Amino acid sequence: MSLLVEENPARRRFEILVDDALAGFVGYRVESGTMVLVHTEVDQRFEGKGVGSALARGTLDQLRDRGERVRITCPFLLSYLERHPEYTSVVAGD
C-alpha cells in the first residue's frame, strides 16, 4: 500500500492518497495568520488500516518541517497529539 500526504491549498486541506486514490483529509482554516486544523476525515474503505494515523503524522511532519505553528481543534488530531508528544512543538501556545 502506497501512502502520500500532500497539501492542497486550493481546498484548504492536507490529503492522503492510498495507491493514488483519495483516502482522507485534514481540513484547515486560517485565522489571524494561524493555520487551524479543524477536521479529519477518512473514507470508510480505509478505516482501521492506519490511514488516519498516517495522515496525522504526514500533516504534522510537513508543518514541523516548515517551522509552522498551528492550532488544533479537531478531536482526532488532539487525541493523536496526546499519544505523540513529539509533535507538541507544532502547536501554537494560547
Side-chain angles (χ1 to χ4, degrees), residues 20-31:
D20 297 323
L22 180 63
F25 63 88
V26 171
Y28 63 83
R29 66 177 179 260
V30 178
E31 294 178 356

Side-chain angles (χ1 to χ4, degrees), residues 2-94:
S2 167
L3 302 173
L4 173 66
V5 176
E6 57 188 6
E7 185 176 8
N8 182 339
R11 298 194 77 170
R12 290 192 174 137
R13 66 189 196 181
F14 287 84
E15 300 173 338
I16 187 164
L17 304 175
V18 176
D19 299 328
D20 297 323
L22 180 63
F25 63 88
V26 171
Y28 63 83
R29 66 177 179 260
V30 178
E31 294 178 356
S32 302
T34 299
M35 182 182 289
V36 182
L37 305 179
V38 296
H39 178 70
T40 301
E41 193 170 309
V42 173
D43 188 291
Q44 285 181 277
R45 297 174 295 155
F46 300 100
E47 288 181 0
K49 298 180 179 179
V51 172
S53 291
L55 173 58
R57 183 173 52 254
T59 298
L60 294 170
D61 281 344
Q62 288 182 45
L63 293 168
R64 182 173 57 191
D65 291 349
R66 294 183 340 205
E68 291 201 38
R69 305 218 351 124
V70 301
R71 282 192 17 235
I72 299 174
T73 61
C74 168
F76 176 80
L77 290 175
L78 288 170
S79 175
Y80 184 86
L81 193 63
E82 286 179 10
R83 296 186 313 275
H84 298 276
E86 65 270 24
Y87 292 110
T88 56
S89 65
V90 177
V91 180
D94 289 334

